[in-house]
Amino acid sequence: MTISSVIFLLILVASFLGIAWNIRRLYTYMALGKKENRFDHPIARLKRTFTIAFLQTKLLRDPVAGVLHLIIYWGFIALLFAVIETIGEGLFHGFSLSGMGWFYSVITVSQDIFCALVAYAVVAAFVRRSITKVKRLQVDADHALDASIILALIFIIVVSYEFQNAAHIAIFGRQQNAVRPIAAWLSAALFGDTSYTVAAYEILWWVHITTVLGFMNYLPYSKHLHVITSIPNVYFGALKKPVTLKPINFEEEGLEKFGAADFEDFTWKQLLDSYTCTECGRCTSVCPANITGKELNPKTIVTAIRDRMMDKAPFDLHQNTTEITLPEKNFIGGYESEAALWACTTCGACMEECPVMIEHIPAIVDMRRNLVMMESRFPDELQATFRNLENNFTPWAFPSGERAHWAEGKNIKTMAEDPRDYDVLFWVGCAGSFDTRYKKVTEAFSELMNAAGVRFRILGTEEKCTGDTARRAGNEYLAQMLMKENVATLGRYGVTNIVTTCPHCFNILLNEYPEFGGKYHVEHHTTFIEGLVAQGRLKPLTPLMRDVVFHDPCYLGRHNNEYDAPRNDLKSVPGLHLKEMPRSRDKSFCCGAGGARMFMEETVGKRVNIERTEEALSTGATTIAAACPFCMTMLTDGVKAKDKAGEVAVKDIAELMLESITIASRNTPQASEPGLPESAAPTA
């Protein structure tokens, strides 16, 4: 073994020891988090990892940045063999993988092409970050420097390797089975003098391998740690949407803290999320709160957990020593503000865009839980909301005894009156029971079911709020009380099939009630209507000659992947011309009411519902179609605020469907949408 080989071996061992030490350090920090089982369904996890991590499908939602990252990512995959071969060359003179035959030809031509592509992608990424200044990529000076260092290291790695291969060809000629067209061209153009070429090869080889090893050791201290953790994080990510909130076991022995007050209160997976954040800003760029000027930044929610862990974990691990002191500032309030936590609408846009499967919403709700149940710190408006839920089983100050008043005189039976011979339970929901405007939607959907011959029942005064508002607001104890009481009521009647007009009720009944023993087949009314039309039980006949734009509710669309049913319902109504907003389907913009924001004042920045209403109005549609009581309220308020109430109506899909059916049965002329008569005008 030559002196050069011995020196390289020492550098190699030191590098791998450094990498191993850092991996152990980061794992030890992460192990301080709470336990959580993310090891189930390995085959499904591997399939999802291949799609998202290796094919980069979520990154490609932004085509420009996605393609650049895809090139860099696959360039690194191709260069793995180059690193192995380079290490072998450093230890053993003449080492080569050329004996792999045709596969070596595939590897070398891939490396050759990807080196050029990666160099281009790195330059383009630097231009986007530092010259054209893409908004979501603008960060603090430390992060900007870190990003520049990473890009510079990647550039040095690929360029030095390309020129190293060119020099190698000039000295030794073309290797057996090696196909490197770009390196061959560079060799002919740059390397003619043998003595110069040998020196250049030695220098380029050392530059390449030391930069690779330095890059690997720099990553654990960099904001680009995701290079190491992204694949594991995707593998351990939630397998399906929605990412449901985990219940707190209030009966657990020794449980003294609810929610997350510090980094160790999060699960190990949430801490892995914090390691994995790429700080690409995709989550922030689609956050309705951030876009409208609120303090919330989903990216910093995650990085604050990481920063806190890096500062406090060493203290937690060395409490019996004096070598490390505890950081003076608290996590909530010091690393992340309370105002940011309460600005979240839980719309899920951040999680939809995140390319590495980070779960922002559960972390935010965990912190809300601690503020509410441990500190009694929450927006003043929620005090009344919680009190109403406790006393009236609804977020509003309506007596629970009035919950079924909307059904009086309509020959609608409750489960208590007749628990037999019915097809489905209609879960009316709080808004459908009490909100003046949305009671019309409840009535319209009931009429549709009657027209289709659906035998349905309601719970009437036995129905209580599903607990969605309390749960998203962090009051898990109150939420579980409501959920368990509803499960008991539904169990008493043996309910298995439920339909509801509220996406929030739909989501929690379908996805979170099973944790409490309530397993039901739950449909949203738009899907239910779609089925009735397909079966020929509902026949919209009268043309409604108007342009309609549909607003996707977050809890129906992004959280539960239902985008087509509402649109199919609208398309089945003759005369309706369906338009789309620029932000629609899985890129839809929130109305601003989710996450209990419906019951909190919006005093900072532009109102979220105004942003969304302006987008709807820009389409020129005369009707905004909704499929959620919260969305209907927010959009109706937005239309009024823009002085368009006399020109644009906000209607639920059930109302539009009923309009076409009942007008057909009466054989009366259809009123045009603009300038609606007073009886048809939208009301709050």
Side-chain angles (χ1 to χ4, degrees), residues 393 400-404 414 459-464:
F393 314 116
S400 59
E402 296 179 6
R403 186 174 279 272
T414 65
L459 285 176
T461 56
E462 290 187 276
E463 181 185 288
K464 297 177 180 179

Side-chain angles (χ1 to χ4, degrees), residues 498-537:
I498 300 173
V499 63
T500 180
T501 57
C502 176
H504 297 263
C505 295
F506 164 72
N507 176 70
I508 195 170
L509 286 167
L510 177 65
N511 298 304
E512 296 181 4
Y513 268 52
E515 291 275 6
F516 300 92
K519 298 182 180 180
Y520 320 107
H521 174 74
V522 189
E523 283 190 85
H524 186 254
H525 76 299
T526 57
T527 308
F528 198 79
I529 290 171
E530 181 188 37
L532 295 176
V533 172
Q535 296 165 24
R537 297 170 69 180

Side-chain angles (χ1 to χ4, degrees), residues 666-682:
R666 294 198 305 265
N667 195 26
T668 56
Q670 168 63 32
S672 60
E673 185 67 16
L676 288 168
E678 183 66 27
S679 60

Side-chain angles (χ1 to χ4, degrees), residues 56-102:
Q56 306 269 287
T57 51
K58 295 194 78 173
L59 272 166
L60 291 172
R61 287 170 65 84
D62 181 340
V64 175
V67 169
L68 292 176
H69 195 281
L70 187 67
I71 291 171
I72 295 173
Y73 179 82
W74 277 101
F76 266 75
I77 297 294
L79 287 173
L80 284 176
F81 286 95
V83 173
I84 294 171
E85 193 167 41
T86 303
I87 291 173
E89 289 173 351
L91 297 174
F92 309 104
H93 180 70
F95 178 87
S96 173
L97 297 175
S98 58
M100 299 173 71
W102 66 267

Side-chain angles (χ1 to χ4, degrees), residues 580-620:
E580 294 284 0
M581 287 183 252
R583 292 174 289 193
S584 62
R585 302 183 77 92
D586 61 357
K587 293 188 176 182
S588 181
F589 194 81
C590 182
C591 74
R597 288 297 318 173
M598 179 76 175
F599 307 97
M600 291 181 262
E601 291 296 326
E602 192 173 347
T603 58
V604 177
K606 183 179 183 180
R607 294 182 67 88
V608 176
N609 69 316
I610 297 299
E611 172 82 9
R612 186 54 166 172
T613 301
E614 289 174 349
E615 187 174 4
L617 295 176
S618 71
T619 66

Side-chain angles (χ1 to χ4, degrees), residues 115 157-169 183 185-187 190-191 196-197 200-201 204-205:
C115 278
I157 288 169
V158 296
V159 171
S160 62
Y161 184 69
E162 193 71 60
F163 280 85
Q164 169 195 325
N165 285 331
H168 191 279
I169 291 171
W185 176 80
L186 288 172
S187 178
L190 299 176
F191 298 106
Y196 158 75
T197 303
Y201 174 75
L204 289 165
W205 185 91

Side-chain angles (χ1 to χ4, degrees), residues 46 115 152 175 205 252 299 301 327 347 389 467 472 495 516 540 607 617 674:
L46 286 171
C115 278
Q175 279 180 286
W205 185 91
E252 181 182 340
K299 178 182 70 176
I301 292 285
C347 69
L389 285 167
R472 268 70 194 168
V495 172
F516 300 92
R607 294 182 67 88
L617 295 176

Side-chain angles (χ1 to χ4, degrees), residues 91-401:
L91 297 174
F92 309 104
H93 180 70
F95 178 87
S96 173
L97 297 175
S98 58
M100 299 173 71
W102 66 267
F103 187 61
Y104 188 68
S105 300
V106 174
I107 292 172
T108 53
V109 73
S110 299
Q111 292 170 349
D112 199 56
I113 294 171
F114 269 112
C115 278
L117 290 175
V118 170
Y120 165 78
V122 166
V123 172
F126 179 80
V127 170
R128 279 168 54 82
R129 181 178 292 274
S130 303
I131 298 176
T132 58
K133 295 186 181 297
V134 175
K135 182 180 179 181
R136 66 176 175 82
L137 298 175
Q138 300 313 297
V139 291
D140 59 80
D142 288 343
H143 186 193
L145 176 62
D146 180 64
S148 297
I149 291 172
I150 290 292
L151 290 174
L153 291 174
I154 294 172
F155 187 81
I156 293 170
I157 288 169
V158 296
V159 171
S160 62
Y161 184 69
E162 193 71 60
F163 280 85
Q164 169 195 325
N165 285 331
H168 191 279
I169 291 171
I171 299 169
F172 302 105
R174 180 180 176 273
Q175 279 180 286
Q176 181 186 7
N177 297 320
V179 181
R180 294 189 171 100
I182 298 175
W185 176 80
L186 288 172
S187 178
L190 299 176
F191 298 106
D193 180 75
T194 305
S195 60
Y196 158 75
T197 303
V198 170
Y201 174 75
E202 289 290 333
I203 292 170
L204 289 165
W205 185 91
W206 278 105
V207 167
H208 173 71
I209 193 60
T210 55
T211 305
V212 168
L213 296 175
F215 179 82
M216 294 171 66
N217 277 276
Y218 175 69
L219 284 177
Y221 299 98
S222 164
K223 293 179 174 65
H224 288 73
L225 180 58
H226 71 273
V227 173
I228 298 173
T229 60
S230 58
I231 292 177
N233 202 63
V234 171
Y235 178 84
F236 290 118
L239 281 175
K240 63 178 183 178
K241 295 168 60 178
V243 179
T244 55
L245 300 177
K246 301 299 181 184
I248 295 174
N249 181 5
F250 290 102
E251 298 177 0
E252 181 182 340
E253 186 176 349
L255 183 64
E256 298 178 350
K257 184 191 294 185
F258 305 135
D262 218 323
F263 87 90
E264 60 266 29
D265 300 323
F266 295 102
T267 68
W268 66 263
K269 171 56 174 65
Q270 289 173 315
L271 299 182
L272 182 60
D273 278 349
S274 74
Y275 283 154
T276 310
C277 180
T278 70
E279 300 195 40
C280 64
R282 284 174 174 81
C283 56
T284 303
S285 70
V286 297
C287 173
N290 188 274
I291 289 172
T292 55
K294 314 301 187 291
E295 193 172 343
L296 174 62
N297 183 333
K299 178 182 70 176
T300 62
I301 292 285
V302 179
T303 58
I305 296 173
R306 181 187 65 203
D307 293 344
R308 176 63 171 178
M309 175 168 48
M310 293 299 188
D311 289 346
K312 187 170 181 285
F315 173 82
D316 289 350
L317 293 169
H318 301 87
Q319 290 187 55
N320 297 325
T321 71
T322 58
E323 58 187 272
I324 299 174
T325 58
L326 178 68
E328 294 182 0
K329 57 184 179 180
N330 293 326
F331 173 52
I332 300 178
Y335 291 77
E336 188 57 69
S337 76
E338 292 184 32
L341 299 178
W342 292 112
C344 179
T345 66
T346 67
C347 69
C350 52
M351 293 168 60
E352 187 74 37
E353 293 300 325
C354 181
V356 290
M357 302 294 290
I358 289 172
E359 298 161 22
H360 308 73
I361 293 175
I364 291 172
V365 172
D366 280 341
M367 287 183 272
R368 285 183 174 185
R369 285 172 169 175
N370 185 266
L371 289 172
V372 171
M373 294 187 289
M374 299 299 295
E375 304 293 334
S376 294
R377 298 207 312 265
F378 46 84
D380 292 340
E381 306 94 311
L382 288 180
Q383 184 68 55
T385 303
F386 292 154
R387 184 171 58 250
N388 290 332
L389 285 167
E390 291 172 0
N391 298 331
N392 305 322
F393 314 116
T394 176
W396 293 285
F398 294 103
S400 59

